[in-house]
């Protein structure tokens, strides 16, 4: 059993290494970007092997999906071939990289053995608390969601703040803001595949509802299975991206207008923080969901997790779509 | 509500950021930012006052106790830093209104204030938290927003600087992440106090690597020589208000985080035992003093000059705490504050010059003293502080540092401190000479009067630095408490 | 039950073989269009056979329905993707390699 | 030893490659690609900390007894978000730099600024 | 000094007069900018301030015996800002205070007749410099002294750079660089070291370092101090003095006679007496290298002075040489020698300021700056050159002039300290001083005016029988001060013991 796992691991790592070296070697940035997408996807499967389904899900959605799209969008706006790297840059880089590696190998000599139940990580009271007690305290089968949204809910708030920051920053750098209005449907549907792509449009039309439905499913099924606000948001965004690619930026902007997005982006974060404020006002600590329904704490936890996951989903979806719009819109203008 | 102060003073700016984006108008966004930073400042002061003499306030996020959830732990050390950071934010808020309106496209201003709020949130979060991973998260919030803040500088160089800052800063953050991961692998916990309790003895190789990674990562964030390359561009090209804010506290907070890891998480008995941190720190510190000051002498732009001098000043702080003595830490904390005030004042001056002259090139300052007497008076006073003239803040902290060094018989480092002070004489002297004794070059067009708000901030900072130099009894005592809090071992 | 097992493994093997062929074709075939064709074999036929095989082994309804949905999704998307690729290439003016040149 | 540490070491190998790409290439897009590879390697390191032999995904079920540790997963979820945020911001900067300098190559851009006639 | 004042005036709680002495010039400095537009009012303010301060300083002599100590505040544990009245400081204070109004009076004439720019800035910086000098004079510990020492440096920097010309900037840069580098690089470390050794920097009778350090340490420390106090212009840190010659003459007078250099040597004396303590130095022999150094400076600087043709440069090098008399006196560390140092502060101040005044007057009246151009000027400017001769003789040390006393005392001291060798040095330097000072009045009075216009300055065509050149003196504002100071050179000869008694008592010398 464990042997097969090792084999799978090694196979996946072989692919990863190949992809990484390919990125290092190729000078065509498009293929480099695609290789990066492959890299992320393989990572995702590796995470599945290592029981991190939520992470795998996220990685597949973000690494293989969103960031690849962003990379391609950037390349569409810039050069797609890179200069030959001069050796003067290579030697120091190699030294630094190898130095770091050596330090890590040195560290690994005293790291606890891989996957050993006797590891400090597994022995720490945290494990017991999260894997057993959480059922009475929170009652959410997907422990990752429980920890993410409740035990370390504050970290997740920070995470939402990070994605919010990215949204704001990219908006500030690339965004076409009020003043030069977004293209209305029909006018210059930039980046869209036009005319004879009947097949594409039909299929896209067919799939769109399912994608969005799936996003909602992931959003609200996060308590019981892999998923949650973050994955849901990304999937939703992916749907819009597909729509934009097929029907053009103009239509997409008409369907999901930047104005709304710029409202939703902060609203999600406000919702999340607002839950915290509510708990404060109800006399609990910040983000202490028990305060939401004192008589039945577990109920409170459920409510709180639902709300904050919604907040995460809203902000992430809005941020991702805004990012994509920002890049695509840049292309449409230049 | 006082029980919730620790959460509130981070929460308020965090709420302010989305509010800025919702309100969409420059003035409203400014008002929100100003109000938020004022609130956190008040709360920080409140925390400093309500702090028990030696103990610490602990606040459990989500009501989950220490190792299971994330806790905020406020003691003398980070109360001190909270006041510093939020104070800098207040100064920035008053200062920013005019300078940002002048330097940033009107339609993007509200986003800029949102970024300022987020940066403040991140810094405050790093300072108050008692959870290792939480430090990483908020570090990334502050870093991301600072990249954006820098990128909005007026020249295209700003974009390049911001990109380099982003790449280097992310490497730093990831190194920190690796270090935290190693520590986690050894203990299974992320809470700093719990880490300190559970980490293995000094001979563990993974522990050594963890300290090394965290040290390197945060040294990058604090621009410690030789990992300083990103700083001059970032501070030199950023919009004035951002330069003021970042120069006042961003590197300082990185220093604080490192202190927290070395002294509270790993504990002095491990960190300074497994690695020759004292020697490394003193070496890097003195190197930083000399390189920073020397490079500052060669600059042709006031803001870059100040940025290089910041690199030098970090050296003093590092040299102070790497002694791992009470006096050394005290000196470091004193200099954290004093340098923050002085450098903020100087960047405020630079901002006023940029506002009126379009740039802060040194040639452009020739003979301007007669036409901007107040501005240059401020420059002179703050500059004296930078040199470390008696009766200025700079002298106090340098005196404390030198005392600490002498107590440890580190004569070579004392020499480095003095040499760098001499170099400071040179670069400050250059600016003053150009402004005072060089005849104005070219056509002397009329210079519009400088907005009151900016003058106000500048002079408030200058006077504060003078006061810190005249009567440093209170700061010295507070810094002493902070040092005790860190040396008191686990929180 | 064994019959089902055998059948499923047969399907899985077939799918694997098809996938392998697709990969092989990706290397050996002369030009873009033919390679696209090979690639699309992998993720339509190959993948769906694999899924069918797994379907026969599915122990719960929930799993089965998921597998079916995935298969449906693949059957929709992968040909479309191949089509879009070919179309884009053609629009881009990439000429198919035909006749003698093809079997070099 | 090998069996116990192989997972870490493979991650470290990727980490080295990623860091090398990041440091050695002057092209900014390539840098960002290297950055994401570098970060992914670190994520693997974390995830492998949570894995426990014969464990399954930490989604509680009456029929399962051994679970992998959920905490690293949570941390890495957060870290992935940070990663994408950084990448997005970096790419936005690259676009702006390309508009300002007409190149995405760091060295070329720096050279442009060193020219006296640079704005 | 026989003023009888009511007893309560002499009570220790009068100590507030000390910070007042520092405050008064600062107030003047604050007032001046307001009078920017009214030159007369401005100068009047300066003069009144000066006279008040001078009066105050003279009155202070009545308190010489009462121990006055005023602690302003402690600005950091171990760093106290405090003033103290002690005889040596009193001497320096009264020199600075009395010469301020005189120099200002002179400056008025000089600046107006050469109509310089930035005159307000000039007077402001001048006042601040005097305030700093007062602070130095009354400093009760090393830190306070250091503080005002730096303040003095910074306040005089604009004075040196006054002309804003490139060479003025260069001179000012050398001036500032030398003084700041030495003070921060050597003086401050020495103070810190002292603090580290003894835990205080207070000035106490008999010194604080006694028993805290071995002879080796003391020697190094003493060297650090003496070179660190760059204002004392001990070779090789004397370069700033000639460099500062680019300044207008009143500034040179201030720099080289009143405030700066005297502050330097005064600091040397303070350090010697109250930080090290004469006995500590004498037994340890820690000062021996410094004795040689100062002796060397005395001779070499004098030799250089002989070869200078620019009048001010010559005077500058003479200053360098003369200052080392005081340093030497300090380094000998015997009461007589130290008293000589104290006295020399006064006498040399009077003499040298007169010489500079004369140089300035010559420049104003005849626009001559070189010694070789002075031939025959004596007839045109009799008062100036008379004053010059008196001052020169005082510097050389001929009785009955003030300068003679301290030569005498110094020789005594040298013998007491067992350094008969120095007699030779002093003799040589006296000869050299004759060599560089005497020629000036001689040329002026005895030689015929070079390139004298024969007929054309005579309205009537016929050749003159004997030409009586008309008097062409500088304006009276220049003339009066230099006559005053010249007179002082004479008067001081008779007040030598009144000046020294308090200090001698403090030192426990006969």
């Amino acid at each position: 059993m464990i042997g097969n796992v090792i084999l799978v691991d090694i196979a996946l790592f072989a692919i990863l290494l190949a992809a990484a070296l390919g990125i290092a070697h190729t000078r065509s940035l498009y293929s480099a970007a695609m290789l990066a997408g492959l890299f992320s996807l393989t990572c995702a499967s590796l995470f599945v092997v290592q029981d991190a389904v939520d992470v795998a899900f996220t990685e597949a959605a973000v690494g293989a999906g969103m960031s690849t799209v962003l990379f391609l969008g950037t390349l569409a706006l810039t050069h797609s071939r890179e200069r030959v790297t001069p050796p003067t840059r290579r030697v120091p880089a190699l030294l630094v990289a190898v130095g770091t590696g050596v330090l890590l190998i040195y560290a690994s000599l005293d790291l606890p053995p891989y996957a050993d139940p006797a590891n400090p990580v597994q022995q720490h009271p945290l494990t017991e608390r999260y894997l057993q007690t959480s059922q009475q305290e929170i009652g959410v089968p997907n422990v990752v969601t429980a920890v993410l949204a409740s035990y370390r809910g504050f970290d997740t708030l920070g995470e939402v703040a990070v994605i919010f920051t990215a949204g704001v920053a990219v908006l500030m750098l690339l965004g076409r803001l009020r003043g030069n209005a977004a293209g209305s449907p029909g006018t210059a549907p930039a980046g869209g595949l036009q005319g004879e792509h009947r097949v594409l449009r039909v299929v896209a039309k067919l799939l769109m509802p399912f994608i969005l439905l799936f996003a909602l499913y992931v959003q609200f099924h996060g308590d019981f299975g892999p998923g949650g606000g973050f994955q849901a948001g990304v999937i939703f965004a992916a749907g819009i991206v597909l729509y934009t690619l097929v029907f053009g930026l103009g239509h997409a902007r008409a369907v999901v207008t930047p104005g709304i997005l710029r409202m939703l982006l902060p609203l999600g974060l406000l919702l999340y923080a607002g839950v915290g404020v509510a708990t404060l006002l109800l006399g609990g600590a910040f983000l202490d969901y028990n305060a939401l329904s004192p008589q039945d704490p577990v109920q409170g936890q459920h409510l709180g997790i639902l709300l904050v996951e919604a907040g995460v989903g809203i902000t992430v979806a809005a941020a991702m779509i805004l990012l994509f719009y920002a890049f695509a819109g840049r292309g449409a203008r230049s | 509500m006082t029980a919730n102060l620790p959460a509130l003073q981070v929460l308020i700016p965090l709420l302010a950021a989305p509010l800025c984006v919702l309100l969409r108008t420059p003035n409203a966004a400014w008002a929100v930012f100003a109000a938020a930073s004022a609130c956190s400042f008040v709360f920080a002061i409140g925390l400093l006052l309500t702090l028990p003499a030696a103990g610490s306030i602990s606040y459990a996020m989500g009501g989950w106790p220490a190792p299971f959830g994330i806790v905020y732990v406020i003691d003398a050390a980070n109360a001190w830093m909270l006041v510093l950071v939020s104070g800098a934010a207040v100064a920035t808020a008053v200062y920013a209104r005019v300078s940002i309106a002048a330097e940033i496209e009107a339609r993007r201003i509200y986003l800029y204030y949102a970024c300022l709020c987020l940066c403040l949130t991140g810094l405050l979060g790093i300072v108050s938290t008692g959870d290792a991973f939480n430090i990483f998260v908020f570090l990334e919030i502050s870093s991301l927003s600072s990249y954006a803040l820098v990128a909005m500088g007026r020249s295209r160089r700003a974009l390049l600087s911001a990109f380099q800052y982003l790449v280097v800063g992310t490497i730093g953050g990831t190194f920190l992440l690796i270090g935290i991961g190693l520590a986690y692998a050894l203990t299974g916990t992320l809470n700093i106090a719990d880490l300190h309790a559970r980490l293995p003895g000094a001979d563990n190789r993974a522990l050594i690597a963890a300290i090394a990674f965290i040290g390197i990562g945060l040294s990058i964030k604090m621009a410690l020589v030789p990992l300083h390359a990103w700083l001059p561009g970032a501070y030199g090209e950023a919009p004035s208000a951002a330069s003021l804010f970042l120069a006042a506290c961003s590197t300082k907070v990185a220093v604080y985080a490192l202190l927290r890891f070395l002294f509270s998480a790993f504990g002095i008995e491990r960190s300074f035992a497994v690695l020759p941190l004292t020697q490394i720190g003193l070496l890097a510190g003195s190197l930083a003093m000399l390189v920073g000051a020397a490079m500052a002498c060669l600059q042709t732009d006031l803001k870059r000059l100040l940025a290089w001098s910041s690199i030098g000043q970090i050296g003093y702080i590092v040299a102070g705490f790497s002694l791992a003595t009470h006096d050394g830490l005290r000196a470091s904390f004193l200099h954290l504050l004093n340098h923050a005030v002085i450098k903020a004042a100087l960047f405020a001056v630079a901002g006023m010059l940029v506002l009126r002259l379009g740039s802060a090139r040194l040639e452009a300052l020739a003979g301007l003293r007669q036409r901007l007497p107040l501005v240059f008076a401020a420059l002179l006073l703050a500059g004296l502080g930078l040199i470390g003239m008696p009766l200025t803040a700079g002298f106090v902290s340098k005196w404390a540092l030198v005392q600490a060094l002498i107590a440890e018989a580190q004569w070579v480092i004392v020499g480095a401190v003095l040499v760098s002070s001499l170099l400071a004489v040179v670069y400050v002297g250059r600016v003053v000479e150009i402004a005072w004794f060089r005849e104005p070059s070219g056509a002397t067009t009329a210079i519009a009067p400088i907005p009151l708000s900016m003058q106000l901030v500048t002079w408030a900072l200058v006077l504060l630095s003078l006061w810190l130099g005249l009567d440093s009894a209170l700061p010295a005592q507070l810094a002493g408490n902070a040092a005790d809090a860190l040396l008191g071992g686990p929180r | 039950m064994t019959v089902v097992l055998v059948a499923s493994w047969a399907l899985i093997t077939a799918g694997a073989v098809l996938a392998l062929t697709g990969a092989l074709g990706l290397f050996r075939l002369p030009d873009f269009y033919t390679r696209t064709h090979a690639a699309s074999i992998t993720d339509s036929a190959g993948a769906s056979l694999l899924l069918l095989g797994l379907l026969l082994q599915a122990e719960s309804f929930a799993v089965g329905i998921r597998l079916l949905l995935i298969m449906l999704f693949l059957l929709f998307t992968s040909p479309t993707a191949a089509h879009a690729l070919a179309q884009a290439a053609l629009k881009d003016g990439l000429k198919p390699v035909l006749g003698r040149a093809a079997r070099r | 030893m090998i069996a116990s540490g192989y997972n870490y070491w493979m991650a470290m190998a990727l980490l080295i490659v990623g860091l090398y790409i990041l440091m050695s290439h002057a092209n900014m897009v390539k840098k960002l690609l290297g950055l994401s590879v570098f970060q992914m390697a670190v994520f693997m390191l974390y995830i492998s900390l949570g894995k426990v032999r014969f464990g399954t995904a930490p989604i509680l079920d009456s029929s399962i007894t051994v679970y992998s540790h959920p905490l690293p997963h949570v941390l890495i979820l957060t870290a992935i978000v940070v990663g994408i945020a950084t990448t997005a911001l970096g790419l936005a900067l690259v676009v702006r730099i390309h508009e300002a300098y007409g190149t995405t190559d760091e060295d070329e851009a720096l050279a442009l600024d060193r020219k006296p006639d640079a704005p | 000094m026989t003023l009888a004042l009511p007893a309560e005036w002499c009570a220790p709680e009068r100590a507030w007069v000390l910070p007042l002495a520092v405050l008064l010039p600062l107030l003047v400095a604050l007032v001046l900018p307001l009078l920017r537009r009214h030159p007369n009012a401005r100068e009047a303010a300066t003069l009144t301030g000066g006279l008040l301060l001078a009066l105050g300083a003279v009155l202070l002599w009545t308190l010489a015996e009462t121990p006055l100590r005023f602690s302003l505040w402690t600005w950091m544990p171990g760093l106290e800002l405090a003033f103290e009245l002690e005889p040596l400081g009193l001497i320096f204070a009264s020199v600075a205070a009395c010469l301020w109004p005189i120099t200002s009076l002179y400056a008025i004439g000089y600046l107006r007749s050469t109509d310089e720019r930035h005159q307000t800035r000039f007077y402001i910086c001048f006042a601040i410099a005097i305030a700093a000098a007062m602070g130095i004079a009354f400093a009760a510990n090393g830190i306070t002294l250091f503080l005002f020492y730096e303040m003095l440096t910074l306040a005089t920097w604009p004075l040196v750079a006054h002309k804003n010309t490139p060479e003025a900037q260069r001179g000012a840069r050398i001036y500032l660089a030398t003084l700041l580098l030495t003070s921060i690089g050597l003086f401050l470390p020495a103070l810190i070291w002292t603090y580290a050794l003894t835990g205080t920097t207070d000035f106490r009778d008999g010194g604080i370092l006694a028993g805290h350090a071995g002879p080796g340490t003391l020697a190094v420390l003493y060297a650090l101090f003496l070179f660190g106090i760059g204002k004392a212009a001990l070779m090789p840190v004397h370069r700033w003095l000639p460099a500062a010659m680019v300044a207008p003459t009143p500034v040179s007078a201030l720099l080289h006679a009143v405030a700066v250099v005297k502050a330097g040597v005064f600091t040397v004396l303070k350090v010697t007496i109250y930080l090290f303590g004469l006995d500590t130095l004498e037994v340890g022999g820690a000062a021996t290298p410094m004795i040689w150094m100062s002796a060397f400076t005395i001779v070499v600087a004098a030799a250089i002075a002989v070869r200078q043709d620019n009048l001010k440069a010559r005077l500058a090098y003479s200053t360098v040489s003369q200052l080392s008399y005081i340093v030497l006196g300090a380094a000998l560390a015997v009461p007589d020698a130290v008293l000589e140092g104290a006295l020399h502060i006064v006498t040399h101040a009077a003499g040298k300021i007169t010489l500079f005044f004369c140089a300035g007057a010559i420049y104003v009246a005849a626009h001559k700056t070189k010694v070789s151009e002075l031939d025959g000027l004596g007839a045109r400017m009799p008062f100036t050159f008379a004053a010059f001769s008196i001052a020169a003789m005082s510097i050389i040390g001929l009785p009955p002039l003030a300068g003679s006393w301290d030569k005498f005392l110094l020789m005594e001291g040298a013998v007491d300290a067992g350094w008969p060798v120095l007699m030779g040095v002093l003799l040589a330097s006296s000869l050299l001083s004759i060599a560089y000072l005497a020629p000036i009045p001689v040329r002026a009075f005895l030689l015929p005016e070079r390139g004298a216009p024969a007929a054309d300055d005579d309205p009537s065509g016929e050749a003159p029988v004997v030409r009586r050149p008309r008097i062409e003196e500088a304006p009276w504002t220049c003339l009066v001060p230099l006559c005053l100071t010249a007179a002082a050179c004479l008067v001081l000869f008779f007040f030598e013991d009144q000046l020294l008694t308090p200090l001698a008592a403090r030192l426990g010398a006969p």
Side-chain angles (χ1 to χ4, degrees), chain B residues 330 370 384 389-391 395-396 399-400 402-403 406 418 422 425 429 432-433 436-439 469-470 472, chain E residues 73 75-76 79 117-118 121 143 146-147 150 154 157-158 161 164 169 173 180-181 184-185 189 192 195-196:
Chain B
R330 183 164 138 273
Q370 286 86 342
L384 290 181
M389 278 292 159
L391 287 194
F395 180 78
V396 174
W399 176 268
V402 168
Q403 258 180 289
I406 287 176
L418 292 165
L422 299 181
V425 173
V432 174
E433 181 186 301
W436 260 258
F437 306 129
R438 193 166 293 176
E439 291 306 325
L470 289 179
S472 66
Chain E
W73 73 78
W75 97 74
M76 204 185 155
L79 297 186
R117 298 168 48 225
H118 313 301
R121 183 175 92 188
I143 290 303
F146 180 77
L147 160 66
E150 295 295 27
L154 295 175
W157 183 31
N164 281 18
Q169 279 177 38
R173 209 175 299 142
L180 279 185
L181 296 200
I184 296 183
I192 295 170
Y195 184 82

Side-chain angles (χ1 to χ4, degrees), chain A residues 262-274:
Chain A
R262 231 173 285 142
M263 294 292 283
L264 291 178
L265 181 68
L267 278 180
L269 181 52
L270 276 179
L271 174 57
Y272 199 136

